[in-house]
Amino acid sequence: MQLISCPWCGPREEAEYHYGGQAHVAYPHEVGALSDADWAHYLFFRDNPRGPFAERWVHAAGCRRWFNAVRDTGTHEILAVYRIGEPQPELGRQASR
Amino acid sequence: MTAEHVSPSKLPMPLSPLDGWQAAFDALPDVVAVSEITFTAQLNLRVDPSGAAAGAVAKVLGSALPVQPCTSTRSGDFLLLWLGPDEWLILAPEGAGLELETALREAIGDGPGAVTDVSAQRSTLALSGPASRELLAKGCSIDLHPKVSPTGTCVQTLVAQTGIIIVVRDETASDFLLLVRASFAQYFAAWLIDAGVELTGGC
């Protein structure tokens, strides 16, 4: 089974984690001023790259903390994990082929 | 009728979900020993470890809270388990919960933090014996070798697909404390007994 490193607990089995979608999607500043299309875009539209992708994960069976991970969507390799509030690390890595 | 109108003598006796399982635990091979520690007082504590309340909490508990992930600290009768960067589980002897809960609440005061009695949430099992690591390894991926998991280690993980807190009480004696959600206690006990069958050796 693949191991994912929790920023708090260290490497654990993938089954201990739940996926939380794309990371760094900021809540809109003035929600009332948004058009329906913009609101729908915020709610439902997500990037879908092939290659490194910043995602939210939660260590559900462990410390139950949310954290961010950069995962290569082509190889499923976890390239980096970092705690909530920390900046996304620069990876300098091209998308997988 | 509310709870305060019931005299203590009329309250039903607490009943552990593992009541009656000891005979089955005793039938396990001699290389492991399993027993339930009933009705441990358990308090969930949320507090900022760098805040002012943490010092007052440490005074009540007699020891600073463990801030290193996946560790625990023993302080007299209390066992302080790290559950998260701002969350701990305090194990105390049966009946000590209310007094400790009140004292911790006073220590936190008006600042951010919370103390919740979760005594009925988990059942506590003591597992020891030379084959106890082998038994746990049948359903758990955590490396419990003393070099990796010394005395005091406290991990929350899956054992046999069930959320379990494993506390290493004594690495040399292979002595572990296992905390399992009460509703999963019978499932986990049955799994332990089933997994232990193979430990007889020589067959």
Side-chain angles (χ1 to χ4, degrees), chain B residues 38-195:
Chain B
T38 46
F39 313 128
T40 324
Q42 301 174 35
L43 299 178
N44 187 286
L45 170 67
R46 301 291 306 261
V47 69
D48 178 359
S50 59
V57 163
K59 209 170 270 179
V60 171
L61 295 170
S63 163
L65 292 163
V67 290
Q68 183 75 23
C70 304
T71 60
S72 64
T73 303
R74 178 162 280 289
S75 172
D77 286 340
F78 305 143
L79 193 55
L80 325 178
L81 311 180
W82 183 95
L83 295 189
D86 60 358
E87 183 176 11
W88 292 265
L89 184 67
I90 318 286
L91 303 188
E94 182 181 356
L98 188 60
E99 195 185 331
L100 184 58
E101 184 184 345
T102 313
L104 284 172
R105 239 179 230 152
E106 277 171 17
I108 290 172
D110 294 333
V115 186
T116 316
D117 190 323
V118 292
S119 302
Q121 192 177 38
R122 293 182 180 89
S123 291
T124 315
L125 286 165
L127 168 69
S128 60
S132 55
R133 285 189 183 82
E134 195 186 333
L135 176 60
L136 287 174
K138 287 174 187 293
C140 169
S141 65
I142 298 289
D143 188 351
L144 292 169
H145 189 280
K147 270 188 187 166
V148 184
S149 302
T151 301
T153 299
C154 163
V155 289
Q156 304 163 83
T157 187
L158 295 174
V159 181
Q161 292 92 48
T162 307
I164 304 277
I165 302 175
I166 305 175
V167 186
V168 183
R169 285 204 295 187
D170 187 337
E171 61 184 52
T172 46
S174 305
D175 187 356
F176 300 96
L177 212 56
L178 309 174
L179 292 122
V180 56
R181 302 273 177 183
S183 54
F184 282 84
Q186 293 187 5
Y187 160 77
F188 185 63
W191 179 87
L192 275 178
I193 289 161
D194 184 50

Side-chain angles (χ1 to χ4, degrees), chain A residues 1-6 10-19 55 57-62 67 71 75-78, chain B residues 141 157-158:
Chain A
M1 192 182 290
Q2 179 170 17
L3 297 180
I4 297 175
S5 231
C6 167
R12 297 290 182 87
E13 287 190 330
E14 187 184 355
E16 293 192 8
Y17 297 88
H18 288 163
Y19 179 70
E55 298 167 331
W57 287 78
V58 60
H59 191 190
F67 61 93
R71 181 177 65 98
T75 62
H76 200 41
E77 183 188 357
I78 305 283
Chain B
S141 65
T157 187
L158 295 174

